[in-house]
Amino acid sequence: MTTSQPTPAQLGYRMPAEWAPHQATWLSWPHNEESWPGKLHIVLPIYARMVAALARSETVHINVNDEAMEEEACRLLHSVGAEGDIHFHHFPTNDAWCRDHGAIFVVRDGDDPLAAIRWEYNAWGGKYPPFDLDRQIPRRMAEALGAPCFDGGMVLEGGSIDVNGEGLLLTTEACLLNPNRNPHLTREQIEQRLCDYLGVSTVLWLGDGIVGDDTDGHVDDLTRFVAPDTVVTAVESDPSDENYDALQENLRRLRRMTDHRGGALRIVALPMPPAIVYEGRRLPASYANFYIANRVVLLPTFNHPNDDRAAAILAELFPTREIVGIDCTDMVWGLGAWHCLTQQVPAV
């Protein structure tokens, strides 16, 4: 794990919290029929509504495979009234999950204030080949923005981590310690790499993810920082639900954790939606998969009374942002929602 080159942290870079100002949000337009079998035509207009909400908030960059895909995207965006600063890039992808295959951006004061980290990407442990095009996206994003790009040197997806911008990083043992990611690295080596490249000082470990999550337990379906000392965490109230035990264990772990000043974390419980089952498979539906943009918070909803409860909780936590709930009952058939589809570019 040693290197002769200075690490991003040594150069003064750090990953800001998601609520810090963005210069843009980056997306990859959905096109893989295998990700939403039989439902891609339903998903695309829903995705367009997300883009429209984001474009009210900030600049949006979208990867498309070619001119034809750009034209189709423009047609759908026009149909939902999307207006704003939207840029298309002919950067072909294998799939739409920009949170995981896109660059993770870090910032510093001085020259080259924005930099990209290109982590290794293997489609969640090699589950969904091919992923050769997705692996090229971080460098192409960096080049488009004129930002230097560092190689992180291990497999890491953006949805597997969450930071508070002041030294803390949340992740899960189920994902980062899974042998299908970095079997040659110890927990301590993984922690050091996160500190070296994202400018964090402390890694906080949760346990397992929710049922149906093919990412092996991404933290963005579980627990999210909403302030330097505050997290929201998904809690299942029904002891008979198959997510109950894992979420209770994560809650117990959070209660033992401390913030960057050594104080106990403030923990806000976020309800879970009802079980969403399609073709006999439980899907990873979670309100924790929200995305914090400059002026809006995109909330996945599921046509259930808990939608309003989740929205009210986030509205209290983000009083200057509009909470935009968009039904993800069909979207989550792809095993992800708004946070999985987005990647922030910090303002500098």
Side-chain angles (χ1 to χ4, degrees), residues 190-235:
I190 290 171
E191 287 186 351
Q192 189 61 55
R193 182 62 45 140
L194 293 170
C195 293
D196 287 344
Y197 281 78
L198 299 178
V200 299
S201 55
T202 303
V203 178
L204 304 174
W205 294 89
L206 297 179
D208 290 330
I210 58 174
V211 175
D213 180 7
D214 62 339
T215 69
D216 304 303
H218 273 189
V219 78
D220 65 359
D221 274 334
L222 302 172
T223 305
R224 305 283 307 284
F225 281 111
V226 292
D229 62 351
T230 305
V231 296
V232 293
T233 192
V235 176

Side-chain angles (χ1 to χ4, degrees), residues 31-46:
H31 60 87
N32 190 338
E33 294 274 358
E34 294 181 3
S35 291
W36 291 275
K39 286 197 175 188
L40 183 61
H41 66 290
I42 299 172
V43 161
L44 285 172
I46 302 170

Side-chain angles (χ1 to χ4, degrees), residues 37-61:
K39 286 197 175 188
L40 183 61
H41 66 290
I42 299 172
V43 161
L44 285 172
I46 302 170
Y47 186 93
R49 290 177 57 203
M50 175 199 72
V51 177
L54 281 175
R56 300 200 303 268
S57 170
E58 58 208 67
T59 297
V60 179
H61 295 276

Side-chain angles (χ1 to χ4, degrees), residues 307-323:
D307 296 352
D308 291 336
R309 290 179 57 203
I313 290 167
L314 292 180
E316 185 172 343
L317 293 166
F318 296 105
T320 65
R321 290 170 165 92
E322 176 189 2
I323 310 302

Side-chain angles (χ1 to χ4, degrees), residues 129-156:
F131 44 86
D132 55 311
L133 297 175
D134 288 345
R135 295 182 74 247
Q136 299 175 37
I137 292 300
R139 288 201 179 279
R140 304 194 77 171
M141 291 169 66
E143 290 168 1
L145 295 171
C149 188
F150 297 90
D151 283 321
M154 72 176 190
V155 174
L156 184 80

Side-chain angles (χ1 to χ4, degrees), residues 96-120:
W97 309 108
C98 198
R99 173 67 49 179
D100 292 344
H101 66 232
I104 294 178
F105 291 98
V106 291
V107 298
R108 71 173 181 182
D109 295 329
D111 296 336
D112 293 326
L114 179 73
I117 311 296
R118 175 198 171 273
W119 300 96
E120 293 298 320

Side-chain angles (χ1 to χ4, degrees), residues 170 204-206 253-259 263-265:
L170 272 167
L204 304 174
W205 294 89
L206 297 179
R253 293 191 185 205
L254 287 167
R255 287 171 173 160
R256 297 194 296 266
M257 294 175 183
T258 57
D259 66 17
L265 289 176

